[in-house]
């Protein structure tokens, strides 16, 4: 991926994170505080850290949410899906285990569905695993969840 393409992806991702915050605050209400942790890229163990920490105001229990502006995957022989590579999956499931809590990923693809975003609870087993093989772009093993198996929210 070229530097320009990478920077454009970062810009699009930041716009989606910014758009998600007011929605979360409205949807979750005063019970949960939405803390932007997008400036924390990795934790002390080197695991990727989610964009938002959701703090229950009554119990102080935390959950985590990462916002992903991604394109829908349309792998041959499969229904449309969202997903990510093995490293991302491993980092976020590690975070959930360390804090004994839930970790979620919010997917958004305006070309697929501009009026909705989709929520994945990482405790849900993947619908399938796709192996890109040695493609020169990092981890070839990718986890996928069918769009129809995710929670859908109106923006």
């Amino acid at each position: 991926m070229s530097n320009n393409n990478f920077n454009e992806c970062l810009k699009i991702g930041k716009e989606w994170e910014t758009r998600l915050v007011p929605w979360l605050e409205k949807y979750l209400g005063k019970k949960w505080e939405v803390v932007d942790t997008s400036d924390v890229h990795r934790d002390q163990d080197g695991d990727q850290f989610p964009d938002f920490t959701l703090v229950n105001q009554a119990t102080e229990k935390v959950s985590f949410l990462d916002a992903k502006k991604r394109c829908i995957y349309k792998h041959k022989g499969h229904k449309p899906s969202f997903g990510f590579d093995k490293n991302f999956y491993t980092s976020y499931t590690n975070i959930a285990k360390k804090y004994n809590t839930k970790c979620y990923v919010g997917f958004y693809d305006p070309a697929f569905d501009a009026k909705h975003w989709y929520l994945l609870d990482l405790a849900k087993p993947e619908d399938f695993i796709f192996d890109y093989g040695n493609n020169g772009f990092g981890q070839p093993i990718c986890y996928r969840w069918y769009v129809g198996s995710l929670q859908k929210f109106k923006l």
Side-chain angles (χ1 to χ4, degrees):
M1 179 182 301
S2 75
N3 199 29
N4 286 343
N5 198 6
F6 177 76
N7 288 333
E8 183 63 21
C9 287
L10 283 177
K11 179 181 170 200
I12 291 168
K14 198 51 139 171
E15 288 169 0
W16 166 228
E17 290 168 13
T18 302
R19 186 172 181 195
L20 185 60
V21 170
W23 188 96
L24 285 171
E25 290 171 343
K26 180 180 174 186
Y27 182 79
L28 297 172
K30 295 184 186 280
K31 182 178 178 182
W32 293 86
E33 178 186 2
V34 178
V35 179
D36 184 345
T37 51
S38 61
D39 61 333
V40 180
H41 302 285
R42 298 202 178 263
D43 73 358
Q44 65 277 9
D45 298 324
D47 287 315
Q48 296 176 56
F49 204 80
D51 295 322
F52 303 102
T53 301
L54 309 176
V55 183
N56 183 307
Q57 295 299 296
T59 66
E60 296 187 9
K61 181 167 176 63
V62 298
S63 295
F64 298 100
L65 174 68
D66 196 76
K68 291 292 175 210
K69 195 285 183 186
R70 294 271 169 114
C71 295
I72 288 282
Y73 295 100
K74 296 176 182 171
H75 297 296
K76 188 175 182 177
H78 291 282
K79 296 176 269 185
S81 61
F82 280 117
F84 34 78
D85 69 30
K86 184 178 178 180
N87 290 339
F88 182 92
Y89 177 78
T90 301
S91 281
Y92 282 21
T93 54
N94 286 346
I95 294 286
K97 289 175 192 169
K98 287 177 207 178
Y99 287 88
N100 190 29
T101 193
K102 294 281 194 174
C103 191
Y104 302 93
V105 180
F107 293 102
Y108 176 61
D109 180 357
F112 175 75
D113 183 352
K115 295 181 180 181
H116 296 92
W117 68 280
Y118 297 82
L119 184 68
L120 165 66
D121 178 343
L122 277 175
K124 179 190 179 321
E126 71 280 346
D127 289 318
F128 68 101
I129 296 175
F130 192 80
D131 185 348
Y132 281 98
N134 186 5
N135 61 9
F137 293 106
Q139 184 61 248
I141 302 298
C142 295
Y143 294 81
R144 300 286 186 253
W145 290 264
Y146 294 126
V147 172
S149 72
L150 304 176
Q151 286 184 279
K152 181 179 177 178
F153 295 96
K154 187 171 177 64
L155 284 168

